[in-house]
Amino acid sequence: MSVRYIIIWVFVQLIFVPGALAIADEYTLQRKQMIEGIADDVRKTAEHINKKSFNDIVMQAMDVVPRHEFVPQNLHSQAYENRPLSIGYGQTISQPYIVALMTDLLQPEPDQHVLEIGTGSGYQAAVLSQLVAKIYSIEIIEELGNSSTRLLDRLGYGNIETRIADGYNGWLQHAPFDSIIVTAAISHIPPPLVQQLKKGGRMVIPVGSRFQTQYLTLVDKDMQGNVTTRQVLPVSFVPFTGGH
Ligand code: SAH
C-alpha cells in the first residue's frame, strides 16, 4: 500500500465515517425509544392482548428496520414516534405498536410464507421479512406499490415479492399461506383469503367500516379447517378499497 493511498484512506475515514456513525447513532437511539414506547403500550393493553410483552424476535425486528426510510423526507424527524404517519395518497404507515402487535399475533416462524394485503410504504413487509422466509404483498394504488417496491429493492429486502392488484382475491398462484396480514379495514373477512390460509394458519385483519368501531381480529384455521375469530383490540385503519 503506497503512502499516498494510506493518506487518502485516513482522510476518507476522518471525513465520512464519523458522519455516518453520527447518523446511525441518532436513529439507533430513536429506535430504542420507539421500542420502549411499544413495550409501554403492550403493558397498557395487556388485558386485551393477553400478554405482557411481545416475542423478543418481533421486538428485535422492530429495532433493526429503518422506519425513517419508509416515510416521506419531511417526516424523517418523526419517523420513530409511536404513531401513524401520512405516506401520501391518503394512506398511512401504521403506528409502530400496531405493526409489532400484528406481527406478534402472526407468530412468525423462519420457514413461513406470508401474504400481506396493503403494501403501503412497505414497512410492515420489511419487519416481517426479518422473521419469515417469504412475503407476498399486494397494493391497490399503483404509484404507492411501485415506489415501495423500488424502496424495498434499494434497501435489499430480497424475500418480498410485490404486486399491484385488488387484494380481496388474495394471490392464488402462491397459496396456501402460513399466515395472512391485512392492513386496511374491511366490513367482513374476505372468503378468498380464508380459503388461501393453510390449515393451522392464522390471519390478522382489522374488521369494521369507517362508521363502526373496527376491531383487529385474529382468525384461526385449525388442522380440520375450522375457522374461529377473536376480536383483539379496537383500532383505526384506512379503508380497504376495490371492487368487493
Ligand atoms: N402495511 C402498510 C400499511 C399501509 S395502509 C405499511 O406498513 O405502510 C393500507 C394500504 O392498503 C394502503 O396503501 C391502501 O392503498 C392498501 N389497500 C386498500 N385496499 C386494498 C385492496 N383492496 N388491495 C390491496 N391493497 C389495498
Side-chain angles (χ1 to χ4, degrees), residues 1 38-39 80 88 124 219:
M1 206 188 280
I38 295 170
Y80 295 98
Q124 172 73 71
V219 180

Side-chain angles (χ1 to χ4, degrees), residues 82-226:
N82 191 13
R83 62 187 180 92
L85 293 171
S86 168
I87 52 170
Y89 310 96
Q91 306 305 322
T92 54
I93 177 173
S94 302
Q95 178 190 358
Y97 160 75
I98 293 290
V99 173
L101 171 61
M102 292 175 86
T103 309
D104 192 79
L105 286 168
L106 291 181
Q107 299 182 17
E109 301 274 347
D111 59 345
Q112 288 178 346
H113 286 200
V114 178
L115 174 68
E116 178 186 35
I117 312 299
T119 317
S121 68
Y123 178 68
Q124 172 73 71
V127 170
L128 277 168
S129 89
Q130 313 292 305
L131 302 168
V132 300
K134 183 90 194 182
I135 297 116
Y136 298 94
S137 185
I138 306 179
E139 171 57 50
I140 200 166
I141 300 176
E142 189 172 355
E143 296 87 337
L144 197 51
N146 287 339
S147 72
S148 53
T149 300
R150 276 196 302 274
L151 176 67
L152 291 165
D153 281 350
R154 174 167 76 73
L155 297 177
Y157 294 100
N159 60 347
I160 304 172
E161 193 172 327
T162 57
R163 176 187 179 191
I164 311 289
D166 182 343
Y168 188 86
N169 292 310
W171 197 335
L172 199 54
Q173 188 193 347
H174 298 294
F177 302 96
D178 297 288
S179 58
I180 299 179
I181 177 168
V182 181
T183 65
I186 182 161
S187 60
H188 61 279
I189 299 165
L193 297 186
V194 177
Q195 279 153 18
Q196 290 175 28
L197 193 59
K198 266 188 200 165
K199 287 182 178 161
R202 54 183 56 78
M203 169 165 30
V204 186
I205 176 169
V207 179
S209 70
R210 221 186 288 216
F211 311 106
Q212 300 167 294
T213 308
Q214 303 167 5
Y215 279 95
L216 192 62
T217 304
L218 181 63
V219 180
D220 264 300
K221 194 186 239 188
D222 71 14
M223 295 314 282
Q224 281 69 49
N226 301 316

